[in-house]
């Protein structure tokens, strides 16, 4: 009998190895996580559907009369997961003011942002895209925000007239356009990696003219944060610096300006850092 024990142990060990190998070989498939918009607004101005992704202060309640500032974030469907994570961390402090954050997105993201975020028609850029993209729709998109999206949110949620806007890349160009042509509708601006090279720097040149020729800018108290990554393309850093410098030198009493160049960040990698800094700069508690 003793001579059979080694064989018994060997058989048991082999069986265990086979079972373990089978278990470890069965990999789990990742769960599908769907980020769904809270609302979809059909614009009669632009002819597009806009998806709204909403993030609320943790104490938001329909049972009180408190109203909240609102921050619009461009490219909402891409950015909202980052926003949601940041909100959770900021609420641990709490580090920021109570603010409703609204990501604005579209289903045909690449095509629609190219049109909605560009303030002028750039024929040479349109031709590069072989007619699939049409630029120059910023004025209509801004009108849609003012006359369609904001009234919808004001009707259904506890918003107030303290409005901010932020965007990255072409979204940063659009936010710059909103600032340069500001009528006080927005009072907080996050301009990140702005594509100020657009259309031979048309918006940048308009800004420089305005900042140098107008010693007074009749706006309500306004906060502006501008950023770029130091490893972005050669067209990005100098234009951002030029815009920031001229705005800074204008020394407008009603403009609270802060700007930052992020070290070792490129056009894509800089995004989470710039959005985080935008929210904290524009809404951070003293």
């Amino acid at each position: 009998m003793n001579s059979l024990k080694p064989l018994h142990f060997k058989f048991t060990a082999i069986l265990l190895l086979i079972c373990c190998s089978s278990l470890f070989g069965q990999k789990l498939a990742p769960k599908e996580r769907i980020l769904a918009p809270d609302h979809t607004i059909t614009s009669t101005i632009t002819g597009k559907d806009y998806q709204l992704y909403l993030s609320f202060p943790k104490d938001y309640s329909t049972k009180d009369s408190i109203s909240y500032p609102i921050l619009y974030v461009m490219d909402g469907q891409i950015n909202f997961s980052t926003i949601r994570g940041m909100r959770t961390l900021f609420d641990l402090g709490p580090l920021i003011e109570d603010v409703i954050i609204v990501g604005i997105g579209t289903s045909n993201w690449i095509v629609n942002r190219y049109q909605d975020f560009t303030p002028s028609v750039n024929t040479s850029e349109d031709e590069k895209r072989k007619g699939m993209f049409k630029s120059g729709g910023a004025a209509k998109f801004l009108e849609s925000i003012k006359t369609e999206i904001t009234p919808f949110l004001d009707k259904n949620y506890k918003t107030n007239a303290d409005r901010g806007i932020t965007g990255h890349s072409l979204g940063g160009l659009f936010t710059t356009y909103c600032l340069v042509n500001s009528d006080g509708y927005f009072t907080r601006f996050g301009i990140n990696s702005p594509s100020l090279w657009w259309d031979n720097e048309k918006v940048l040149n308009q800004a420089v003219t305005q900042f140098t020729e107008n010693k007074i800018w009749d706006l309500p108290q306004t906060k502006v944060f501008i950023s770029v990554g130091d490893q972005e393309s050669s067209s990005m850093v100098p234009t951002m610096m030029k815009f920031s410098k001229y705005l800074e030198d204008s020394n407008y009493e009603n403009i609270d300006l802060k700007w930052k160049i992020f070290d070792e960040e490129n056009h894509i990698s800089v995004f989470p850092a710039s959005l985080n800094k935008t929210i904290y700069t524009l809404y951070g508690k003293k």
Side-chain angles (χ1 to χ4, degrees), residues 218-272:
D218 187 19
L219 292 177
Q221 200 64 36
T222 298
K223 288 185 176 182
V224 179
F225 174 69
I226 310 172
S227 75
V228 72
D230 69 341
Q231 295 182 6
E232 298 199 42
S233 69
S234 58
S235 64
M236 301 296 289
V237 180
T239 53
M240 173 273 190
M241 285 298 300
K242 183 176 180 180
F243 182 89
S244 302
K245 189 71 168 61
Y246 273 94
L247 180 54
E248 188 173 61
D249 289 347
S250 67
N251 201 28
Y252 294 121
E253 291 184 358
N254 50 345
I255 303 290
D256 179 6
L257 170 66
K258 291 182 174 60
W259 56 271
K260 183 176 179 61
I261 298 177
F262 288 94
D263 292 336
E264 300 181 356
E265 300 287 2
N266 60 44
H267 192 63
I268 303 301
S269 68
V270 75
F271 170 72

Side-chain angles (χ1 to χ4, degrees), residues 51-69:
Q51 302 161 346
L52 306 182
Y53 301 81
L54 278 66
S55 171
F56 297 93
K58 64 178 180 179
D59 294 327
Y60 184 96
S61 171
T62 58
K63 298 178 180 180
D64 59 44
S65 59
I66 300 171
S67 65
Y68 297 91

Side-chain angles (χ1 to χ4, degrees), residues 33-262:
R33 289 172 171 81
I34 300 174
L35 178 63
D38 295 270
H39 303 282
T40 298
I41 302 292
T42 300
S43 171
T44 60
I45 297 169
T46 67
K48 300 182 179 75
D49 290 339
Y50 293 107
Q51 302 161 346
L52 306 182
Y53 301 81
L54 278 66
S55 171
F56 297 93
K58 64 178 180 179
D59 294 327
Y60 184 96
S61 171
T62 58
K63 298 178 180 180
D64 59 44
S65 59
I66 300 171
S67 65
Y68 297 91
I70 188 167
L71 172 66
Y72 290 114
V73 183
M74 302 301 99
D75 297 319
Q77 74 277 34
I78 301 298
N79 300 332
F80 196 71
S81 294
T82 303
I83 292 167
R84 190 162 52 189
M86 288 177 182
R87 163 81 80 182
T88 301
L89 292 174
F90 281 139
D91 282 347
L92 294 176
L95 299 177
I96 62 171
E97 301 172 31
D98 289 334
V99 54
I100 298 171
I101 303 176
V102 179
I104 304 178
T106 60
S107 55
N108 197 353
W109 172 59
I110 297 295
V111 173
N112 288 340
R113 75 189 299 273
Y114 180 86
Q115 182 173 39
D116 287 344
F117 296 164
T118 52
S120 58
V121 175
N122 190 335
T123 305
S124 63
E125 289 293 326
D126 290 355
E127 289 175 350
K128 288 179 185 178
R129 291 157 178 81
K130 300 178 180 179
M132 295 175 61
F133 297 74
K134 294 182 180 180
S135 57
K140 286 188 175 182
F141 179 48
L142 179 56
E143 185 183 354
S144 177
I145 292 175
K146 288 182 175 182
T147 64
E148 294 175 326
I149 294 175
T150 296
F152 172 83
L153 293 169
D154 287 347
K155 179 182 177 181
N156 291 282
Y157 297 100
K158 297 164 55 181
T159 58
N160 58 40
D162 182 347
R163 305 182 193 94
I165 185 168
T166 184
H168 172 265
S169 193
L170 286 177
L173 173 68
F174 177 71
T175 307
T176 306
Y177 166 78
C178 292
L179 172 60
V180 173
N181 296 281
S182 179
D183 55 2
Y185 188 83
F186 299 108
T187 55
R188 314 197 202 203
F189 297 84
I191 299 171
N192 298 313
S193 302
S195 300
L196 295 174
W197 53 265
W198 179 263
D199 198 9
N200 296 313
E201 303 179 0
K202 188 171 184 177
V203 172
L204 176 59
N205 293 331
Q206 179 189 353
V208 169
T209 300
Q210 178 166 307
F211 299 157
T212 53
E213 293 185 358
N214 298 303
K215 301 302 180 184
I216 298 175
W217 197 356
D218 187 19
L219 292 177
Q221 200 64 36
T222 298
K223 288 185 176 182
V224 179
F225 174 69
I226 310 172
S227 75
V228 72
D230 69 341
Q231 295 182 6
E232 298 199 42
S233 69
S234 58
S235 64
M236 301 296 289
V237 180
T239 53
M240 173 273 190
M241 285 298 300
K242 183 176 180 180
F243 182 89
S244 302
K245 189 71 168 61
Y246 273 94
L247 180 54
E248 188 173 61
D249 289 347
S250 67
N251 201 28
Y252 294 121
E253 291 184 358
N254 50 345
I255 303 290
D256 179 6
L257 170 66
K258 291 182 174 60
W259 56 271
K260 183 176 179 61
I261 298 177
F262 288 94

